[in-house]
């Protein structure tokens, strides 16, 4: 049993170990943000099941995913749980690993390039830089209310880069919270939509003046939010041309095989 990170989309960012597991698998349960080009690397004998999640919608509840992983593994199948990015960075990999170990299943974790490093690199935004940021923080953007328990005082301090995953729906709350806790209003921010793919778009603004594409409702998930002075380097370091990308990107509502439980003995 393998928990495998697929990276942010570009199939050439897949690790060699991840590729080997895709070639060896009998059953693969994959998430929404696994590009078509990566799925094309899966061996033809493997059964593939979609268990993706989008904001406010989960195609399959997490407990059913856990049960299916355990069930297929107990059938003696070589199972891969394929996740966009890295399994242990906002990917529920820790929860699934706990379930599998509790069920006495042999399991390994194959790390992947997480969206923060992949998308920022392809946008020409270094997450750390001696003149700008001496640390970087990955933060969940799934903030359900103003009572979200984030340390905004700490997040608003200088000398760091903030990367918010899944933050598009909470961006106004994030911006205002940072300003309210002392971050300069002119602090630059970047929205990276479908990073590392042909659909990559990078929108630049600031805490007080977000990109017009955001206010016009053009930006769509999956989008990563980066806040920090490193964003100011984008104009000079932007090296990637989306037209040359190897991944077509992610289509909403793409038809996929639904999950089914392993057959009874």
């Amino acid at each position: 049993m393998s928990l495998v990170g697929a990276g942010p989309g570009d199939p050439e960012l897949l690790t060699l170990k991840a590729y080997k597991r895709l070639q060896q698998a009998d059953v693969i349960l994959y998430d929404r943000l696994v590009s078509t080009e990566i799925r094309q690397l899966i061996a033809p004998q493997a059964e593939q099941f979609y268990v993706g999640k989008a904001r406010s919608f989960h195609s399959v509840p997490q407990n059913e995913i856990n049960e299916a992983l355990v069930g297929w593994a107990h059938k003696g199948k070589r199972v891969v749980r394929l996740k966009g990015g890295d399994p242990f960075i906002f990917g529920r990999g820790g929860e699934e690993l706990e379930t599998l170990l509790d069920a006495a299943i042999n399991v390994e974790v194959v790390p992947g390039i997480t969206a923060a490093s992949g998308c920022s690199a392809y946008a020409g935004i270094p997450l750390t830089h001696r003149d700008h940021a001496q640390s970087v923080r990955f933060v969940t953007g799934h903030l359900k209310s103003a009572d979200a328990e984030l340390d905004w005082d700490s997040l608003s301090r200088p000398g760091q880069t903030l990367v918010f995953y899944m933050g598009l729906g909470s961006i106004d709350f994030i911006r205002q919270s940072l300003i309210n806790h002392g971050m300069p209003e002119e602090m630059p921010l970047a929205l990276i939509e479908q990073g590392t793919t042909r659909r990559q778009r990078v929108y630049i603004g600031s805490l007080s003046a977000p990109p017009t594409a955001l206010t016009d409702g053009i930006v769509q998930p999956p989008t990563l939010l980066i806040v920090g002075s490193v964003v100011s380097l984008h104009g000079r370091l932007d090296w990637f041309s989306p037209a040359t990308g190897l991944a077509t990107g992610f289509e909403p509502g793409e038809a996929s095989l639904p999950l089914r439980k392993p057959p009874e003995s």
Side-chain angles (χ1 to χ4, degrees), residues 9-66:
D10 183 343
E12 291 191 344
L13 295 181
L14 198 69
T15 67
L16 180 58
K17 179 172 278 191
Y19 173 74
K20 287 180 177 179
R21 297 302 177 265
L22 297 186
Q23 288 289 296
Q24 297 162 350
D26 298 314
V27 176
I28 292 184
L29 280 65
Y30 69 95
D31 279 346
R32 183 171 67 101
L33 300 184
V34 174
S35 69
T36 300
E37 291 72 20
I38 288 176
R39 286 183 55 211
Q40 288 172 346
L41 300 175
I42 296 171
Q45 81 274 1
E47 293 188 84
Q48 300 181 42
F49 300 106
Y50 175 69
V51 293
K53 300 176 179 66
R55 184 176 178 86
S56 302
F57 175 75
H58 294 182
S59 65
V60 181
Q62 185 63 48
N63 66 303
E64 292 186 22
I65 296 174
N66 294 346

